[in-house]
Amino acid sequence: MALKIKLQRAGATHEPVYRVVVAEARGRRDGRFVEKLGTYLPKQKDAAKQLELNVERAEYWMSVGAQPTDTSNSLIKRARKEQAAAAEA
């Protein structure tokens, strides 16, 4: 069973809400998932509320072989930067 960290779309028309999930690679985009790691709200104006992601769990899943998609990988990197900036402050 190959796992991927990918985005699952939810929300209304023109108001997308994405869940960052760990799911089977061959499954549907909005299908069943193993674990929900966070949410991404692309239309949110406040950058702090735009991305909520459990970075520790994402790193765990990557350590056991889950491959992030390009978009989810960029979101994970962004969440790491935000987490590091919050730790400094």
Side-chain angles (χ1 to χ4, degrees):
M1 179 167 97
L3 295 175
K4 280 202 175 270
I5 299 174
K6 56 186 180 178
L7 299 179
Q8 185 179 62
R9 191 180 199 281
T13 306
H14 304 295
E15 288 297 327
V17 174
Y18 293 98
R19 296 182 190 127
V20 182
V21 298
V22 178
E24 192 168 340
R26 299 181 74 190
R28 296 188 323 245
R29 179 194 70 181
D30 295 337
R32 205 174 341 170
F33 59 89
V34 177
E35 183 178 350
K36 179 182 170 187
L37 302 177
T39 57
Y40 172 56
L41 307 167
K43 290 209 164 191
Q44 181 76 303
K45 299 292 183 200
D46 186 13
K49 294 180 183 177
Q50 194 175 38
L51 177 64
E52 291 180 20
L53 185 65
N54 188 341
V55 178
E56 292 81 24
R57 291 302 292 168
E59 289 174 354
Y60 164 76
W61 281 109
M62 287 191 287
S63 73
V64 295
Q67 296 293 316
T69 60
D70 293 338
T71 306
S72 62
N73 194 27
S74 67
L75 291 176
I76 291 169
K77 286 180 183 178
R78 183 170 144 192
R80 282 185 191 138
K81 285 182 185 178
E82 289 176 1
Q83 193 176 41
E88 278 185 14

